[in-house]
Amino acid sequence: MLKREMSQNCWKRVTPLIVLLAVLMVIINFIVYRFVSVIIVANSKSTSVVVVADFEQKSHSKLKPPMNLSGTNETKLKTIRGLTTSMTDQSIAPTQESVKVQKDDPIQSHSFLYKIVPKIDCSSSKLVICAVGSRANNKTRQTIRQTWGSYANVSSNNSTLIFFLGSEHPSTNGSQSVQHFINKEAELYGDILQEDYVDHYNNLSLKSVSILKWVSLKCPESQFLLKVDDDMYINVPVLIKSLDDISKSKGKDYPFVVGHVFQGARPIRSTSSKWYTPVTVFNETVYPKYTSGTSYAMTTSAAKLLYKASLEVPVFWLEDVYVTGLCARKANVEVIHNNLFYFDKREASGCSFQNQISGHRYTATEIERIHKELYHNTTKCN
């Protein structure tokens, strides 16, 4: 009887310890799983870093901007860089084999692997439409193909449509992966380009540089490039007319970027802001003139100059500021304001787009409605 009571007392004392240890193990595993990984883009003077945090969350409103790891030792850089460059996917079809990008610049290179390359020929297109968005947005991509992006389906328009994607994080498990569906979609339409940087809000600059590189190298005789988010509606004929008008006034080979321009914008120093940018990341008081990243267009001659500049300008996490601001300033490419580009939402109707180029934040259903009304002969607008 005494032994039984002693055993019960001992068990009562040990049980809370076991429960505490179990709770600690759960917390430790949670922290380890939700780690922060870093993508390095190094140059001879400093190291610019894009921080990719918490890949599980769907909203990026609380993400922090890139950190500056100047002075980080080379051993640490190689360890972190390996998170990206070691990514492979054995399920890719033979026709979509990975292509090694040449590291052709001594300062900085966009040296990611192509996991999927488009089958369409853009070498001499008048317009190369480069759409960006989430990897999981296959419904939106299909909507674009069937609505405003169908402009590229008419051979006489001499235009091509390409969707630019990044890759999932290496920690993504099988049930969360959408790569298999992307492979099937790419095989069916042949209009997807995918590189192995992690597809994330803070890596949008890498995605835009991938656009500049592809158009510069694979569409060398094309005339214009449109970079556009996948929640936009684009009136392509009005865009083409606007680009032609600028080219005629500036000269056929004159390089320019055109969109909704912001001038005099200042870095946000408040740590509570989504766009918080510390002085260590950007030490100027005012951003250079830049266009809204929701949609902007440029000549292919400008794309080539901007791509070259991106090899020398340290990567900055705000894509529009980086490409159309910092790189354009470095390359001495003119940035032109056009009121027909709009970074916010117009009314989702055909009449709203009769003489406009772009509008933002539309659902797939709204994009379909706008397109149907815009091209329906019975639509009457005031």
Side-chain angles (χ1 to χ4, degrees):
M1 185 69 177
L2 181 60
K3 289 184 178 180
R4 182 180 300 175
E5 290 180 358
M6 290 177 65
S7 176
Q8 290 176 347
N9 290 335
C10 183
W11 177 251
K12 289 179 180 179
R13 292 175 182 175
V14 172
T15 299
L17 292 175
I18 295 175
V19 172
L20 179 60
L21 287 172
V23 171
L24 286 173
M25 288 299 293
V26 170
I27 294 173
I28 291 171
N29 286 333
F30 180 78
I31 293 173
V32 170
Y33 180 74
R34 296 171 71 89
F35 64 90
V36 175
S37 70
V38 195
I39 295 175
I40 300 295
V41 182
N43 62 51
S44 59
K45 297 180 180 178
S46 64
T47 301
S48 297
V49 181
V50 180
V51 177
V52 183
D54 188 5
F55 296 95
E56 283 189 301
Q57 67 181 32
K58 295 180 180 178
S59 172
H60 306 305
S61 60
K62 297 181 180 179
L63 290 177
K64 299 299 182 184
M67 298 184 300
N68 188 338
L69 297 188
S70 298
T72 305
N73 62 62
E74 183 61 23
T75 301
K76 187 173 182 180
L77 292 184
K78 288 181 179 178
T79 302
I80 300 173
R81 189 182 295 116
L83 286 173
T84 303
T85 57
S86 63
M87 293 177 64
T88 57
D89 191 325
Q90 300 300 325
S91 64
I92 298 176
T95 56
Q96 301 167 355
E97 69 179 53
S98 297
V99 180
K100 181 68 177 180
V101 180
Q102 294 181 353
K103 298 182 179 180
D104 51 4
D105 192 274
I107 301 174
Q108 173 174 291
S109 63
H110 185 82
S111 55
F112 296 94
L113 300 179
Y114 288 126
K115 297 183 68 176
I116 299 175
V117 294
K119 301 175 184 178
I120 52 181
D121 178 19
C122 63
S123 58
S124 58
S125 297
K126 181 178 181 66
L127 175 67
V128 183
I129 301 170
C130 305
V132 303
S134 169
R135 302 166 68 257
N137 286 355
N138 61 307
K139 179 180 178 181
T140 304
R141 290 192 290 274
Q142 186 63 11
T143 299
I144 292 173
R145 292 184 185 106
Q146 295 173 345
T147 56
W148 66 263
S150 64
Y151 182 89
N153 296 337
V154 181
S155 58
S156 60
N157 290 334
N158 190 23
S159 297
T160 52
L161 170 65
I162 303 174
F163 295 94
F164 287 76
L165 306 178
S167 299
E168 60 199 13
H169 191 269
S171 67
T172 305
N173 62 44
S175 62
Q176 294 175 323
S177 176
V178 296
Q179 186 60 49
H180 173 73
F181 299 103
I182 292 173
N183 293 341
K184 293 291 185 182
E185 184 182 354
E187 186 65 30
L188 180 62
Y189 296 102
D191 59 2
I192 289 177
L193 184 146
Q194 183 182 33
E195 291 189 19
D196 70 346
Y197 57 83
V198 175
D199 208 332
H200 191 272
Y201 180 81
N202 281 13
N203 282 344
L204 290 179
S205 292
L206 299 181
K207 185 173 289 188
S208 290
V209 172
S210 76
I211 290 173
L212 298 175
K213 183 165 190 173
W214 184 261
V215 172
S216 296
L217 300 181
K218 299 297 182 180
C219 321
E221 302 302 319
S222 60
Q223 192 172 353
F224 301 113
L225 173 163
L226 169 69
K227 181 268 176 182
V228 57
D229 291 350
D230 66 359
D231 60 348
M232 302 286 289
Y233 185 87
I234 302 293
N235 188 335
V236 183
V238 175
L239 169 66
I240 292 289
K241 183 181 184 305
S242 180
L243 292 172
D244 283 338
D245 289 345
I246 297 173
S247 287
K248 288 177 183 177
S249 64
K250 296 287 185 179
K252 182 180 179 182
D253 298 321
Y254 184 81
F256 64 84
V257 176
V258 60
H260 190 102
V261 170
F262 297 103
Q263 192 159 5
R266 296 177 178 273
I268 295 176
R269 304 302 189 191
S270 171
T271 57
S272 62
S273 173
K274 174 183 177 180
W275 295 280
Y276 164 62
T277 303
V279 176
T280 52
V281 173
F282 185 81
N283 60 11
E284 299 178 43
T285 58
V286 179
Y287 288 131
K289 180 169 68 172
Y290 68 95
T291 72
S292 166
T294 55
S295 63
Y296 54 81
M298 67 183 75
T299 58
T300 299
S301 59
K304 293 175 182 178
L305 293 172
L306 294 181
Y307 172 60
K308 182 179 179 181
S310 75
L311 303 177
E312 301 176 7
V313 179
V315 175
F316 182 63
W317 77 294
L318 295 175
E319 174 270 335
D320 44 12
V321 174
Y322 179 65
V323 173
T324 69
L326 297 172
C327 289
R329 181 175 67 181
K330 173 72 175 179
N332 197 27
V333 171
E334 184 179 2
V335 179
I336 302 171
H337 177 68
N338 187 326
N339 282 321
L340 303 185
F341 285 87
Y342 194 44
F343 61 90
D344 212 340
K345 189 170 186 175
R346 305 180 192 274
E347 181 184 353
S349 68
C351 292
S352 297
F353 280 86
Q354 269 196 325
N355 301 300
Q356 305 296 324
I357 291 175
S358 67
H360 188 211
R361 298 195 180 109
Y362 297 111
T363 64
T365 301
E366 288 174 325
I367 291 173
E368 291 170 350
R369 182 197 313 156
I370 294 168
H371 192 74
K372 181 178 180 180
E373 292 180 4
L374 185 60
Y375 290 93
H376 200 288
N377 293 332
T378 59
T379 300
K380 295 181 180 179
C381 303
N382 295 328

